[in-house]
Structures are given as structure tokens and as C-alpha cells.
């Protein structure tokens, strides 16, 4: 390692909020400072749910300006975001329309038609990606006859779109590309046969980049807008936020499972090679590209979206519920009184989440939660149950020993969820770091700049220094109750 201290900016866009973090890195550790945070609200226009990507870009510039005000010697900038969604550019490089939100209903029924035509086994062997109704493949097929797609010359995933606006350079980062169901899981190149047979124009898919590679330098206009008096590189990071989060998992060896817990819970393992068995496809696991050639073998669980939507619903109806207080009350509720399968498609769109949870409980003959505390307990028990099923299935399908579960991201603040996940899995849960995505983004930039060296083990050791983590040990009793609860909602025991 060198003795230099790098200052880099991590642009980290989540499905509910975005932030710009200033990361300062040297051989003794990583310091993060949040310099700007902003909401990321979906916008409904007529029948279509959009992302307000121009506002996200504007807020990104505000954050970069704040970062430079603190450290004028900024070494690099990296951008990460959620997966699957994209912007379409015309031949002159102009954005044709605001990106459509993955929770939009345009893909309803599309996955079944595409899979019937291309074949589930073939798709999985080629791309290794789980079937989710909003995968980029299905979004593009849903848009097949639209004027926007007809006019499009290039597709860019959300972080690549922002990087393009910052630098003028076009490229697609591979960890995010791997979520599209359009990337070859073996070669990590575009799956041209799948693209052609799905009827998607090949011209949309440009050069691929790997984490650590340069993505260009800030345009002159951008430098002027944020107060940079010199060229500043943009560095490709693990631009799928989960890829960056997994870099920051503070594991000491490979016998871990991870849960990157925010709006979604991404639950899985870090492997050296994909798992493409029929059983893996049936269990709906993804083989996504990780940093340094690794595979993120994982399954999406609906995550804290359920809780976020409950809180939003109560707030909009004049019954605001304070999260910390209701979690304390939920901890006193009877355990596993009512649970749901968080991945039921009924929970995907925005709406009256408490009513949907009540309906699901009633449909399975369980008590209907009758208070905010009971609803929240139902959500947290259900998430812990889904975490349990995913961890156990991943370990079995990959024949991979798991001795500890690392829960990173915003969910690491939720003490009840962490403890219940430990209880459900029967394994220690190490909670933190909360800012895993930003940390992973930052250390990949610092390594590219030469400030630190080494592989993932060295980067994780760097992140562990000075980081406060909390371990939740499983309680001895209750394994049979968790198995019974899983059976009630059709989750693997």
C-alpha cells in the first residue's frame, strides 16, 4: 500500500433516496462524510411511472459541488445505483424520455410470453438471471412497438447515463449489465443470440466496462458547474449498488452469506463460478457479476419496501407512525402470529400496503394484523423468514458452507430485523456497515487511483478498521416455529 491519502466522491443512488459521499482513504482506513442527500421520488405521468432522472443528475451536481468545497483535490468520482432500469439516447446522444420505473405495470404478463418463446432453461443457461417481471429484457420487449425505442440508438443503465452526462463517454458497467438478463453469464459479454431472438435492436448495446476502469473525465461544462478548476476522472465502480455493497461486506473468509438490506433485500453468496442447475433456476437465484470477477449468487427479497410503503400510507392518511417507536412496540407483539411471502407480486406496486398484508394473512387463514405494531411485526417476521429461506437454499444449491450472515445497508439499523434474522437462520448475524454501498464504491476508486492495493480480502480488511459492527447471536429456541411459519406461506423450510 502507498502512504497517500485519496479523496473521492461516491454518487450512490437508491430507489428511495440518493446521496453524495466524500470518501477519504489511506492505509489506516476509510472515512465517509455525507455531503448531500436527496429524495428519489417516482413520478406518475398518465399511465406510466417514471424516474425523475434529470432531478437526480441536478442533485448529483449539487453534491459534487459540496464535495469539492471540502476537498478541492478530489481524486475521482464513481456512480452506482439500482439495477434493471435504463435511459435511451438518440443518435445525437440526447435522452429520448425519462426512464420508466421498474414498478410500472407495462411489463405485466410480458415475462410469461418471452419465456414461452425463448425457453426458461435456455435463458437461465445463457444469462444465469432469476425471473423477475421487471428485468430489462422484459422492459424492452414491452417497449418493442413504441416510437421511443424505434428512435433509440443506445441504451445506458442509470449509473452509466449519469456517467455519460458527466463525461460525454459512453459505456456500460458489467455488474449492472449482468442484471438485465441480456448478458452472457459465461463470457460477460452481451448475449447477442438472446437479444436477437427477443427482437431487441442490437444497436442499443455498447462497450462494456469493468470496475476500476476509467469512464472519462468531467466535461468542461460540468467542471464549471461544480467549481472544479482541473480535470477530474470518473472511475467505473461496481455500479449495481449491491455489487458495491458486497465489496464492503466485512468478512474475514469465504464462509459467509450476505444480505444487502434496503428497499430490497439481496440475499446470497459470493462465489467463484455461477450455479446454473435446474434446481437453481427453479429456486429463482441469480448469478450476477461481482467485482474482481466474482459471482453474486443471490435472490431478490422484497425487502424494506413493505415497511416503507406502510409508513407512507399511514402518513398520507394523517396517521404518521414514528419508525423507532413502532419497532419497539412490534418487538412486544407475539412472534410469528401472522406472516406473508414478501415476494408475492401483490406487494410489488405502490399502494395500500397494510390492506394488502391484511388480505394475504386472511387468505392463508392467519390472524389479520389490527394495529401498526402488529403490521410491522408481520413485515419484520416475514422478512426474517424470507432471509432464512434464501440463505439456506443458496448454501444448499451452491454446496457452500455458511457460518455467518453479514447484513449490510440500511437494514443494519433495524435491531429487531437483525435479531429475528439471526433467530430464523440459526446463525450469527453481523450487522453493518450501514453505508456499505458507498464504502464499496469508494475503495474501488481508491484502488484504481493507486492509493490502496490488493484484492477483495485487502479491501475488506481496510473497511473493517475502525468500523463499528454489532453481532446478533441466534436464540436457542424456535427452529420448529420458523419452519411452521414458512410452511404457512409456501416458503422453503
Amino acid at each position: 500500500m502507498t502512504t497517500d491519502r485519496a479523496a473521492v466522491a461516491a454518487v450512490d443512488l437508491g430507489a428511495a433516496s440518493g446521496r453524495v459521499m466524500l470518501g477519504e482513504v489511506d492505509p489506516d482506513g476509510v472515512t465517509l462524510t455525507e455531503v448531500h442527500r436527496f429524495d428519489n421520488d417516482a413520478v406518475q405521468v398518465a399511465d406510466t411511472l417514471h424516474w425523475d432522472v434529470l432531478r437526480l443528475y441536478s442533485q448529483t451536481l449539487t453534491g459534487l459541488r459540496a464535495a469539492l468545497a471540502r476537498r478541492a483535490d478530489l481524486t475521482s468520482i464513481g456512480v452506482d445505483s439500482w439495477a434493471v432500469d435504463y435511459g435511451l439516447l438518440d443518435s445525437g446522444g440526447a435522452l429520448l424520455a425519462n426512464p420508466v420505473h421498474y414498478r410500472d405495470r407495462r411489463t405485466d404478463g410480458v415475462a410469461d410470453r418471452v419465456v414461452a418463446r425463448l425457453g426458461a432453461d435456455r435463458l437461465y443457461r445463457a444469462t444465469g438471471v432469476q425471473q423477475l417481471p421487471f428485468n430489462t429484457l422484459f422492459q424492452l420487449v414491452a417497449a418493442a412497438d413504441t416510437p421511443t425505442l424505434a428512435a433509440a440508438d443506445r441504451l445506458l443503465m442509470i449509473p452509466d447515463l449519469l456517467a455519460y452526462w458527466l463525461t460525454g463517454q459512453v459505456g456500460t458497467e458489467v455488474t449492472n449489465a449482468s442484471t438485465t438478463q441480456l448478458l452472457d453469464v459465461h463470457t460477460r459479454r452481451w448475449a447477442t443470440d438472446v437479444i436477437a431472438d427477443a427482437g431487441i435492436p442490437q444497436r442499443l448495446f455498447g462497450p462494456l466496462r469493468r470496475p476500476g476502469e476509467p469512464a472519462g473525465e468531467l466535461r468542461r461544462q460540468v467542471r464549471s458547474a461544480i467549481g472544479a478548476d482541473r480535470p477530474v476522472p470518473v472511475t467505473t465502480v461496481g455500479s449495481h449498488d449491491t455489487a458495491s455493497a458486497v465489496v464492503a461486506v466485512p468478512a474475514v473468509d469465504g464462509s459467509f452469506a450476505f444480505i444487502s438490506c434496503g428497499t430490497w433485500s439481496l440475499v446470497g453468496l459470493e462465489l467463484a463460478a455461477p450455479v446454473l442447475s435446474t434446481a437453481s433456476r427453479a429456486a429463482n437465484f441469480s448469478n450476477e457479476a461481482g467485482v474482481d470477477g466474482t459471482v453474486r449468487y443471490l435472490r431478490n427479497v422484497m425487502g424494506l419496501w413493505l415497511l416503507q410503503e406502510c409508513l407512507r400510507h399511514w402518513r398520507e392518511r394523517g396517521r404518521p407512525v414514528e419508525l423507532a417507536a413502532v419497532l419497539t412496540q412490534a418487538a412486544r407483539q407475539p412472534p410469528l402470529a401472522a406472516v406473508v411471502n414478501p415476494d408475492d407480486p401483490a406487494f410489488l406496486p405502490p399502494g395500500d400496503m397494510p390492506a394488502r398484508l391484511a388480505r394475504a394473512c386472511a387468505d392463508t387463514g392467519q390472524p389479520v394484523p389490527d394495529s401498526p405494531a402488529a403490521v410491522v411485526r408481520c413485515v419484520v417476521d416475514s422478512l426474517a423468514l424470507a432471509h432464512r429461506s434464501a440463505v439456506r437454499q443458496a448454501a444448499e444449491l451452491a454446496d457452500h458452507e455458511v457460518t455467518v450472515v453479514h447484513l449490510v445497508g440500511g437494514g443494519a439499523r433495524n435491531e429487531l430485523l437483525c435479531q429475528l434474522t439471526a433467530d430464523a437462520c440459526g446463525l450469527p448475524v453481523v450487522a453493518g456497515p450501514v453505508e456499505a454501498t458507498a464504502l464499496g464504491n469508494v475503495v474501488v476508486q481508491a484502488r484504481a487511483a493507486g492509493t490502496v492495493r490488493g484484492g477483495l480480502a485487502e479491501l475488506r480488511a481496510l473497511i473493517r478498521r475502525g468500523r463499528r459492527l454489532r453481532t446478533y447471536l441466534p436464540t436457542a429456541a424456535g427452529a420448529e416455529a420458523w419452519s411452521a411459519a414458512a410452511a404457512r406461506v409456501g416458503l422453503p423450510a
Side-chain angles (χ1 to χ4, degrees):
M1 295 188 177
T2 73
T3 57
D4 294 335
R5 185 172 179 83
V8 304
V11 180
D12 177 23
L13 304 178
S17 65
R19 59 270 184 95
V20 177
M21 306 288 285
L22 176 64
E24 297 174 282
V25 186
D26 63 27
D28 295 323
V30 184
T31 301
L32 281 183
T33 305
E34 183 181 292
V35 296
H36 186 54
R37 178 179 286 267
F38 45 95
D39 291 336
N40 183 10
D41 296 321
V43 181
Q44 184 81 34
V45 181
D47 294 329
T48 304
L49 191 65
H50 293 275
W51 296 104
D52 190 355
V53 73
L54 296 179
R55 179 176 179 276
L56 295 181
Y57 178 64
S58 174
Q59 293 297 316
T60 294
L61 296 182
T62 299
L64 293 177
R65 190 179 308 116
L68 276 163
R70 288 175 175 261
R71 287 294 301 264
D73 59 340
L74 205 63
T75 303
S76 171
I77 297 165
V79 185
D80 68 73
S81 86
W82 67 95
V84 305
D85 290 334
Y86 57 86
L88 295 172
L89 305 181
D90 67 14
S91 59
L95 182 67
L96 288 163
N98 263 342
V100 178
H101 197 295
Y102 62 82
R103 295 190 193 274
D104 184 74
R105 303 303 294 264
R106 68 176 175 163
T107 55
D108 287 359
V110 173
D112 290 342
R113 298 200 306 270
V114 173
V115 171
R117 187 166 82 247
L118 299 186
D121 285 338
R122 176 200 172 189
L123 275 174
Y124 197 69
R125 287 195 304 270
T127 69
V129 173
Q130 64 186 315
Q131 296 288 53
L132 294 170
F134 45 72
N135 286 348
T136 314
L137 165 61
F138 306 135
Q139 291 196 44
L140 287 167
V141 171
D145 297 325
T146 62
T148 303
L149 192 64
D153 183 69
R154 185 57 51 86
L155 175 150
L156 292 178
M157 308 302 286
I158 297 298
D160 302 315
L161 178 62
L162 267 68
Y164 167 66
W165 283 338
L166 290 172
T167 67
Q169 301 298 311
V170 171
T172 303
E173 192 276 321
V174 71
T175 70
N176 217 314
S178 72
T179 71
T180 62
Q181 214 168 5
L182 296 165
L183 193 80
D184 188 305
V185 70
H186 305 283
T187 65
R188 296 196 174 183
R189 298 177 181 174
W190 293 116
T192 54
D193 289 349
V194 171
I195 292 168
D197 290 349
I200 300 168
Q202 297 276 359
R203 68 177 183 275
L204 298 178
F205 304 96
L208 291 160
R209 297 170 174 152
R210 269 67 181 173
E213 294 181 350
E217 293 184 342
L218 294 182
R219 301 179 194 234
R220 184 183 307 107
Q221 300 95 320
V222 174
R223 288 169 50 189
S224 176
I226 66 175
D229 59 4
R230 58 182 177 76
V232 180
V234 174
T235 301
T236 304
V237 296
S239 75
H240 183 198
D241 49 13
T242 307
S244 279
V246 172
V247 170
V249 168
V252 296
D253 60 39
S255 62
F256 68 91
F258 64 81
I259 303 173
S260 180
C261 184
T263 300
W264 290 89
S265 282
L266 291 306
V267 187
L269 312 172
E270 184 176 76
L271 301 177
V275 179
L276 300 172
S277 63
T278 300
S280 179
R281 179 182 66 77
N284 215 26
F285 275 85
S286 258
N287 296 270
E288 297 174 0
V291 172
D292 288 1
T294 57
V295 173
R296 290 176 289 128
Y297 184 61
L298 60 84
R299 185 165 68 208
N300 284 44
V301 172
M302 198 73 76
L304 292 173
W305 163 254
L306 301 177
L307 183 55
Q308 293 164 359
E309 275 296 278
C310 288
L311 296 174
R312 184 190 64 78
H313 175 81
W314 291 324
R315 183 177 63 250
E316 290 182 352
R317 276 142 188 82
R319 300 173 54 206
V321 173
E322 202 275 318
L323 179 58
V326 78
L327 283 170
T328 299
Q329 296 161 10
R332 303 190 190 107
Q333 294 287 310
L336 299 172
V339 293
V340 300
N341 182 346
D343 296 324
D344 187 320
F347 302 134
L348 181 62
D352 185 348
M353 195 63 70
R356 294 178 191 171
L357 292 165
R359 192 176 308 118
C361 291
D363 289 346
T364 49
Q366 302 178 90
V368 173
D370 58 0
S371 68
V375 170
V376 170
R377 183 61 189 240
C378 171
V379 168
V380 179
D381 277 347
S382 300
L383 292 182
L385 191 64
H387 292 166
R388 173 185 188 268
S389 291
V391 167
R392 290 186 170 200
Q393 278 195 297
E396 180 181 355
L397 291 165
D399 191 20
H400 186 88
E401 181 185 22
V402 174
T403 60
V404 63
V405 176
H406 284 273
L407 194 154
V408 301
R413 294 192 182 100
N414 190 323
E415 296 180 5
L416 180 59
L417 177 60
C418 293
Q419 183 60 60
L420 291 177
T421 298
D423 293 345
C425 293
L427 292 167
V429 168
V430 178
V434 171
E435 299 294 355
T437 299
L439 284 165
N441 180 321
V442 162
V443 296
V444 168
Q445 291 189 69
R447 186 175 65 175
T451 302
V452 296
R453 299 190 179 94
L456 290 174
E458 287 74 23
L459 297 183
R460 287 169 177 154
L462 182 69
I463 287 169
R464 284 197 302 272
R465 291 172 198 159
R467 204 67 49 194
R468 296 182 64 182
L469 306 171
R470 179 172 176 182
T471 299
Y472 295 81
L473 298 176
T475 56
E480 291 184 2
W482 287 102
S483 294
R488 294 206 301 267
V489 295
L491 285 170

